[in-house]
């Protein structure tokens, strides 16, 4: 770098957010350091067009590895000082995939003695999920937790601290979802949330404070900088239009910038045996020590390969006579060199290093020597951030003044590139995914690599990603070769945990009349009988425990609702009115299954709402086709997944490809997503493969599945009652002290409620209408088989909108559709009911239950469902009266004191 360029770095640097700020009026408010830490870019996103781009994270902007690692390490040192050495040793650090996996690792390094785990979107053979959580905007379970040591998350028990690390803290929704899910599994007294920047609004800060008070835990925040993003009115629409305009002008991927593509050379790292490639399954202090010891030798191998393959300095690969003219100016990337460990001192040190590099380069040219490339990029791969980062820090230390080493990683996030000094993403490379991702093929991206003047790129991937797609003509390596003089490929072996051992003996299904009031051939329950165990708790007590994180909803049971005579009469009338409609839907979904999954599918209902539907489908197949289909009921629990022991039993007795999962209806599609993720994780953990996670449902008002009887949102009478319409079986139970790793999930048989049982009456009434609707079923099935039945996820979009409009900020507390709203009124603490204006008799039982519980019913327009039930978003027993009736206005959480502290 010339002396003039160095002076520009410190005196006349353009902020990489200017381009967006000038066009959209977006501004960062908070402090001078925010501009050093963050730039701005644009992306195509229905919720937020702008993107905060970190200059010290090493994801989108190539940065000195020492700066990237130092930013996280310094935050970790601050956490250690906050907790004290003893408590720091008992802490567990959890980072978020994909962006913060390396940052979280560096924070754990700063804590010194803490084990590290990061979430992942990659199911891995050999490890069953220990939990998972969602990002609020996602249509799929976003994050899996796959520790090899199942006790890792428990740490030192309730007194141990969980340290959550993300790159930015924008709204706090993801952190709240995480703490809620993990507190249910392993309650703790203290959490520390770490981020480079805290950009929450005051309302978002208040929500975290209230949540901490609810769960009775201390929550500390450790951040490097804080501020807010000022957004003018209409910024989303104008941002989307600007993105569309720019995309129409620019190529999808940067065109080649060298006349001859570089050769690709594989370099053997000799990665230390037994050291994981990252924190996907846990990374202990012993792993850290072994890696530190091996880093210098691995860096030496990379440096040797760089020396051996370095092109002649006389050939600047199309970059101009001085090698700098056509690249992104170094000063525009180096303006953020004030790293984590200090400010001015490190800036001066980095400037001195660059001057030394320039001097060495000039001496080399004068003396005709060839040395290692002057600018080297170590490029990581999506979640694989820490291994390439530490290779980069070791290479940076080894090469010193001989080369300038930078670090960044590829990503799955699409961002608009604009070649302007005032924009954070100058160029992008586009290439296909090369690790056979669980969510299917798609484009991946490397930003600010093309045109940045890198003489060499060291691409670091794990062995899972070292596939033909990586080496294809349009793959990552080929894209890199178009923009540099040398490409090295370093492959880190993907860590393979010990596979889960299969149990020697599997339990057998339960059948009526010993378990359930259904006939023994109607359904086999893949459950264990917990009828003699006291599991019921008052609804309000359960709700408080669930929302506070003190217990998962599947660890207890609500007291069974006993309908009043008026409500029982309403059920009887609704059944008589809707029997033919239900029969049509049963016939249509069964015929669709037989046509597409026949000839002898195995029906597996999701207990318990799916069980009556599965029995009716079995009856239809026998009545119309003489088929005697196997039918079982299996447990699935939101946030915990499907019963893996039950899946193993099914695979041992049937071909998994024949299994068709059955449920009653869809709401927002939470169970649809849960089942898909659970089956994927089951197979990845070594379970038998071949299960199709697609669900067949009676009604799909949410537009979440492609196999359904109808998409109308109407009253299915089996949703009106609990066990007395479901074979006298409770909802399923999953509690660690009752359900072992080789047990089925649990359930109770309420024999004492036999006098109120209408389970078989419901089945017989609907089945009696099969002949009446046969012709309509044939016509409807023919139309459906020829139609586009792709899920629209209309319901999920509506739930997200309602969650934000009503200030709930948790999609799990919004229950759409008649069936789900009924469950809210029967089992949870309802806050209010939204009813589509003009909805008719299908909502009579909803209005009756709401009246009984003192819950307001609000009529609204433009509701895609007949109704939506809202669970009280901040429930304590102080939020309802002693009888469980809602207090007018919906009291917020009582003041629990200052539970969130910033450190």
């Amino acid at each position: 770098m010339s002396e003039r360029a160095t002076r520009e770095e410190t005196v006349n640097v353009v902020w990489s957010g200017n381009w967006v700020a000038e066009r959209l009026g977006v501004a960062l408010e908070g402090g001078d350091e925010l501009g050093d830490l963050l730039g701005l870019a644009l992306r195509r996103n229905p919720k937020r067009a702008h993107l905060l781009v970190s200059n010290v994270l090493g994801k989108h902007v190539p940065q000195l590895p020492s700066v990237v690692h130092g930013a996280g390490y310094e935050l970790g040192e601050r956490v250690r000082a906050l907790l004290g050495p003893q408590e720091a040793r008992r802490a567990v650090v959890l980072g978020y995939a994909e962006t913060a996996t390396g940052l979280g690792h560096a924070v754990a390094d700063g804590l010194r003695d803490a084990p590290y785990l990061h979430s992942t979107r990659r199911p891995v053979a050999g490890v069953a999920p220990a939990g998972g959580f969602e990002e609020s905007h996602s249509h799929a379970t976003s994050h899996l937790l796959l520790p090899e040591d199942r006790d890792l998350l428990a740490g030192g028990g309730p007194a141990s601290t969980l340290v959550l690390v993300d790159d930015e803290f924008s709204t706090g929704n993801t952190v709240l979802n995480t703490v809620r899910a993990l507190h249910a599994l392993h309650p703790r007294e203290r959490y520390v949330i770490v981020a480079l920047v805290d950009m929450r609004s005051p309302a978002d800060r208040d929500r975290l404070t209230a949540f901490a008070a609810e769960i009775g835990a201390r929550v500390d925040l450790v951040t490097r900088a804080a501020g807010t993003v000022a957004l003018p009115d209409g910024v989303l629409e104008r941002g989307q239009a600007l993105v569309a305009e720019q995309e129409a002008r620019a190529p999808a991927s940067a065109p080649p910038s060298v006349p001859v593509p570089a050769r690709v050379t594989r370099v053997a790292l000799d990665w230390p045996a037994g050291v994981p490639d990252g924190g996907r399954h846990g990374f202990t202090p012993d792993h850290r020590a072994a890696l530190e010891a091996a880093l210098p030798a691995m860096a030496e191998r990379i440096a040797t390969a760089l020396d051996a393959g370095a092109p002649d300095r006389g050939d600047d690969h199309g970059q101009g006579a001085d090698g700098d003219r056509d690249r992104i100016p170094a000063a525009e990337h180096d303006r953020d060199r004030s790293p984590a460990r200090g400010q001015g001192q490190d800036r001066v040190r980095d400037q001195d290093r660059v001057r030394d590099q320039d001097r060495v380069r000039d001496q080399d040219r004068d003396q005709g020597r060839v040395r290692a490339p002057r600018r080297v990029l170590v490029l990581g791969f999506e979640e694989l951030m820490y291994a390439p980062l530490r290779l980069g820090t070791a290479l940076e230390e080894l090469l010193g003044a001989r080369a300038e080493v930078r670090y960044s990683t590829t990503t799955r996030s699409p961002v608009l590139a604009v070649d302007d000094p005032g924009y954070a993403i100058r160029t992008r490379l586009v290439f296909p995914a090369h690790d056979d991702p669980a969510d299917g093929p798609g484009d991946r991206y490397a930003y600010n690599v093309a045109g940045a003047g890198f003489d060499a790129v060291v691409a670091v991937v794990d062995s899972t990603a070292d596939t033909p797609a990586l080496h294809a003509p349009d793959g990552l390596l080929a894209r890199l070769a178009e923009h540099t003089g040398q490409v090295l490929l370093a492959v880190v072996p993907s860590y393979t945990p010990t596979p889960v051992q299969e149990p020697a003996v599997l339990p057998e299904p339960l059948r009526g009349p010993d378990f359930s009031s259904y006939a023994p051939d109607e359904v086999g329950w893949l459950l264990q009988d917990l009828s003699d165990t006291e599991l019921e708790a008052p609804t309000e007590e359960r709700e408080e425990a669930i929302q506070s994180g003190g217990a998962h909803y599947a660890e207890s049971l609500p007291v069974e609702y006993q309908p009043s005579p008026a409500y029982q009469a309403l059920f009887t009338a609704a059944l008589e009115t809707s029997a033919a409609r239900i029969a049509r839907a049963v016939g249509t979904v069964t015929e669709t299954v037989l046509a597409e999954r026949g000839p002898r599918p195995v029906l597996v209902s999701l207990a318990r709402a799916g069980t009556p539907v599965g029995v009716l489908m079995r009856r239809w197949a026998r009545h119309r086709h003489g088929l005697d289909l196997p039918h079982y009921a299996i447990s699935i629990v939101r946030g915990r997944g499907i019963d893996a022991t039950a899946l193993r039993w099914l695979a041992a007795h049937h071909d998994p490809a024949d299994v068709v999962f059955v449920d009653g209806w869809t709401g927002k599609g939470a169970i649809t997503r849960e089942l898909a993720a659970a089956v994927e994780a089951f197979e990845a953990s070594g379970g038998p493969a071949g299960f199709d996670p697609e669900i067949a449902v009676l009604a799909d008002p949410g537009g979440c599945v492609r196999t359904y009887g109808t998409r109308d949102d109407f009253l299915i009478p089996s949703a009106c009652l609990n066990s007395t319409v479901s074979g006298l079986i409770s909802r399923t139970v999953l509690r660690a002290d009752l359900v072992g790793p080789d047990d089925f999930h649990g359930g109770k048989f309420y024999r004492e409620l036999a006098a109120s049982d209408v389970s078989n009456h419901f089945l017989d009434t609907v089945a009696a209408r099969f002949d009446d609707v046969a012709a309509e079923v044939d016509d409807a099935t023919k139309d459906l088989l020829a139609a586009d039945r792709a899920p629209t996820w209309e319901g999920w979009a509506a739930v997200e909108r309602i969650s934000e409009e009503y200030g709930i900020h948790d999609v799990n507390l919004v229950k759409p559709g008649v069936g789900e709203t009924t469950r809210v009124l029967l089992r949870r603490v309802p806050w209010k009911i939204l009813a589509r204006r003009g909805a008719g008799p299908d909502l009579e039982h909803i209005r009756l239950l709401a009246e009984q519980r003192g819950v307001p019913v609000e009529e609204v327009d433009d509701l895609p469902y007949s109704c939506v039930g809202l669970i009280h978003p901040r429930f304590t027993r102080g939020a309802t009266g002693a009888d469980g009736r809602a207090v007018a206005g919906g009291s917020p959480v009582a003041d629990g004191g200052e539970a969130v502290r910033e450190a």
Side-chain angles (χ1 to χ4, degrees):
M1 181 186 296
S2 67
E3 290 294 331
R4 184 177 66 84
T6 301
R7 285 195 299 273
E8 287 178 350
E9 176 188 357
T10 58
V11 176
N12 190 28
V13 174
V14 177
W15 177 47
S16 62
N18 277 349
W19 193 91
V20 174
E22 290 172 356
R23 286 158 178 79
L24 297 183
V26 178
L28 301 186
E29 298 177 348
D32 294 339
E33 192 180 14
L34 280 180
D36 291 336
L37 291 175
L38 298 172
L40 293 173
L42 297 176
R43 59 183 177 176
R44 185 179 292 278
N45 186 291
K47 288 190 172 183
R48 189 176 69 174
H50 74 279
L51 176 71
L52 299 176
V53 179
S54 173
N55 293 317
V56 298
L57 185 64
K59 174 56 77 171
H60 302 89
V61 178
Q63 180 56 272
L64 297 173
S66 57
V67 170
V68 176
H69 187 252
Y73 193 94
E74 189 266 348
L75 289 170
E77 288 184 318
R78 289 174 56 191
V79 175
R80 179 180 173 84
L82 174 70
L83 298 179
Q86 183 174 353
E87 189 172 346
R89 278 193 293 271
R90 294 192 298 124
V92 178
V93 182
L94 176 63
Y96 287 90
E98 69 177 32
T99 308
T101 59
L103 178 66
H105 235 307
V107 169
D109 288 350
L111 273 158
R112 301 182 196 172
D113 302 315
Y116 176 64
L117 178 73
H118 70 70
S119 65
T120 180
R121 291 183 174 91
R122 180 196 288 179
V124 178
V127 183
F133 50 91
E134 300 173 0
E135 293 184 48
S136 60
H137 63 275
S138 179
H139 282 208
T141 300
S142 301
H143 298 264
L144 296 172
L145 298 176
L146 304 178
E148 182 176 26
D149 179 1
R150 302 286 289 185
D151 295 327
L152 177 64
L153 283 171
S160 66
T161 300
L162 181 64
V163 181
L164 296 156
V165 183
D166 208 353
D167 59 314
E168 68 178 64
F169 202 24
S170 54
T171 65
N173 288 340
T174 299
V175 168
L176 285 177
N177 287 343
T178 307
V179 175
R180 181 179 287 110
L182 296 183
H183 198 78
L185 293 171
H186 305 292
R188 279 183 162 82
E189 299 170 2
R190 190 172 189 180
Y191 296 86
V192 177
I193 300 169
V194 180
L196 289 170
V197 292
D198 179 2
M199 305 298 288
R200 292 173 301 152
S201 68
D204 291 328
R205 295 170 187 266
D206 291 343
R207 284 199 301 116
L208 182 60
T209 301
F211 178 71
E214 288 176 25
I215 65 175
R218 174 175 173 175
V219 179
D220 296 285
L221 279 81
V222 176
T223 62
R224 179 163 169 177
T228 57
V229 182
L231 300 174
D233 293 339
V235 66
L236 178 60
E237 293 74 14
R238 289 190 288 120
Q240 290 171 336
L242 187 56
V243 170
E245 174 188 330
Q246 292 294 319
E247 287 181 338
R249 296 178 181 176
S253 189
S257 58
V258 297
V260 179
R263 60 184 178 272
V264 178
T265 304
R266 188 182 292 266
V267 56
L269 289 175
D270 195 14
W271 187 262
V275 175
D277 52 288
R280 183 178 284 116
H281 308 300
F283 200 91
T284 67
D286 289 341
H287 292 146
R288 185 178 299 117
L291 178 60
E292 293 287 345
L295 280 173
M298 289 192 286
E300 186 66 50
R301 294 184 188 95
I302 294 174
T304 300
L306 289 170
D307 278 332
D312 189 334
R313 288 290 191 192
D315 178 8
D316 282 309
H317 303 287
Q319 296 173 19
D322 62 0
D324 293 332
R325 185 170 301 139
D326 295 329
R327 68 178 175 138
I328 299 172
E332 291 167 22
H333 289 311
D334 298 349
R335 66 183 173 280
D336 48 15
R337 276 184 172 155
S338 52
R341 304 189 191 103
Q343 297 286 332
Q345 181 180 356
D346 281 348
R347 181 185 291 274
V348 171
R349 185 187 304 124
D350 289 337
Q351 293 170 0
D352 290 343
R353 177 187 298 167
V354 173
R355 293 189 186 99
D356 290 343
Q357 292 165 351
D358 287 337
R359 185 172 60 254
V360 171
R361 179 198 63 184
D362 294 339
Q363 291 173 355
D364 288 346
R365 285 180 173 172
D366 292 344
Q367 301 174 24
R369 292 196 299 263
V370 175
R371 292 197 178 189
R374 176 174 167 272
R375 271 177 67 85
V376 177
L377 174 67
V378 179
L379 184 68
F381 153 64
E382 297 185 28
E383 292 178 13
L384 187 74
M385 295 187 69
Y386 184 71
L389 173 60
R390 296 315 314 281
L391 290 171
T393 58
L395 190 64
E396 184 182 11
E397 182 72 22
L398 176 66
L399 296 181
R402 296 172 57 198
E404 177 187 334
V405 179
R406 294 276 161 166
Y407 160 80
S408 64
T409 77
T410 66
T411 175
R412 56 170 51 209
S413 300
V415 185
L416 176 70
V418 177
D419 190 13
D420 186 282
Y423 188 82
I425 303 296
R426 299 288 300 276
T427 63
R428 75 174 185 176
L429 299 179
V430 184
F431 52 92
H434 52 88
D435 62 337
D436 190 24
D439 57 352
D443 287 339
R444 299 295 185 264
Y445 309 91
Y447 295 112
N448 292 327
V449 176
F454 290 114
D455 300 289
V457 177
V458 183
V460 183
V461 303
D462 58 23
S463 55
T464 299
D466 186 16
T467 62
L470 175 68
H471 300 266
D474 63 344
L476 170 61
L477 298 180
R479 286 284 180 263
L480 295 174
E482 295 173 345
H483 297 277
T484 187
Q486 186 182 9
V487 177
L488 298 184
L489 173 63
V491 179
V492 177
S494 298
Y495 184 67
T496 305
T498 304
V500 177
Q501 297 297 315
E502 293 291 324
V505 178
L506 291 170
E508 286 299 314
L510 302 171
R511 295 185 182 272
D514 296 328
F515 189 82
S516 90
S517 60
Y518 291 137
D521 63 326
E522 299 260 45
V523 60
W525 299 86
L526 301 181
L527 298 174
Q528 64 166 311
D529 190 353
L530 299 180
S531 300
D532 296 330
T533 305
E534 188 66 34
L535 294 167
E536 288 77 14
T539 299
E540 286 69 35
E541 182 178 313
R542 292 183 75 249
E543 189 67 42
E544 184 170 18
I546 291 167
Q547 290 201 35
S548 71
H552 191 275
Y553 78 92
E555 294 178 351
S556 63
L557 293 172
V559 176
E560 279 288 305
Y561 171 78
Q562 295 303 298
S564 64
Y567 188 86
Q568 188 70 47
L570 191 151
F571 164 81
T572 303
L575 176 58
E576 185 60 34
T577 301
S578 62
R581 193 176 186 181
I582 297 169
R584 280 194 298 272
V586 167
T588 302
V589 69
T590 308
E591 293 295 342
T592 302
V593 166
L594 292 173
E596 296 185 336
R597 302 288 300 277
R600 288 185 56 83
V602 177
L603 303 179
V604 178
S605 298
L606 303 181
R608 72 184 164 183
T611 311
V613 178
V615 174
L616 284 169
M617 290 176 66
R618 184 179 184 278
R619 288 191 179 190
W620 178 278
R622 184 172 55 190
H623 180 77
R624 288 294 306 275
H625 303 284
L627 296 175
D628 192 12
L629 301 182
H631 177 219
Y632 306 96
I634 191 173
S635 170
I636 185 169
V637 176
R638 182 172 55 78
R640 303 283 184 88
I642 201 164
D643 188 337
T645 302
L647 287 184
R648 289 195 296 268
W649 188 95
L650 288 168
H653 293 81
H654 301 280
D655 184 346
D658 291 335
V659 168
V660 177
F661 294 102
V662 174
D663 206 358
W665 56 85
T666 66
K668 57 181 174 286
I671 291 299
T672 306
R673 301 190 313 278
E674 186 81 41
L675 179 61
V679 168
E680 186 176 272
F682 171 76
E683 294 183 358
S685 68
F691 289 101
D692 185 343
E694 181 177 324
I695 305 178
V697 299
L698 196 64
D700 179 36
C704 305
V705 300
R706 64 180 305 276
T707 305
Y708 53 86
T710 179
R711 277 188 166 156
D712 294 339
D713 183 20
F714 71 99
L715 172 59
I716 301 171
S718 59
C720 292
L721 302 173
N722 286 326
S723 67
T724 53
V725 77
S726 303
L728 296 181
I729 300 301
S730 71
R731 67 165 305 137
T732 60
V733 175
L734 178 58
R735 207 171 79 189
D737 60 330
L738 299 174
V739 179
D742 299 330
D743 296 330
F744 291 145
H745 293 184
K748 296 186 73 167
F749 176 26
Y750 292 117
R751 297 173 178 84
E752 65 276 15
L753 300 181
S756 303
D757 186 24
V758 293
S759 303
N760 286 290
H761 171 64
F762 170 72
L763 299 174
D764 293 342
T765 302
V766 174
R769 309 301 295 270
F770 283 170
D771 287 334
D772 299 340
V773 300
E776 296 174 71
V777 167
D778 291 341
D779 291 341
T781 304
K782 181 180 179 181
D783 291 343
L784 273 180
L785 292 175
D788 178 9
R789 292 176 281 133
T792 64
W793 292 96
E794 177 187 9
W796 180 269
V799 166
E800 284 190 319
R801 174 177 56 80
I802 292 168
S803 175
E804 296 306 311
E805 284 182 1
Y806 284 83
I808 296 174
H809 306 297
D810 183 355
V811 293
N812 293 322
L813 300 182
V814 181
K815 304 294 185 180
V818 177
E820 293 302 312
T821 302
T822 303
R823 289 179 168 188
V824 170
L825 289 163
L826 292 179
R827 303 180 193 169
R828 303 294 293 269
V829 175
W831 183 35
K832 62 179 65 177
I833 305 300
L834 308 182
R836 187 169 59 209
R837 197 178 306 279
D842 283 339
L843 298 192
E844 287 184 7
H845 77 294
I846 295 291
R847 298 182 188 280
L848 177 61
L849 283 174
E851 181 183 358
Q852 290 176 351
R853 297 203 63 183
V855 178
V857 177
E858 178 180 329
E859 292 200 353
V860 297
D861 298 312
D862 301 324
L863 197 64
Y865 301 92
S866 297
C867 58
V868 175
L870 305 182
I871 295 173
H872 202 294
R874 295 180 179 89
F875 177 76
T876 66
R877 272 168 282 185
T880 62
D883 61 354
R885 295 168 66 89
V887 172
S891 169
V893 178
D895 182 11
E898 180 60 34
V900 178
R901 301 166 177 85
E902 298 197 22

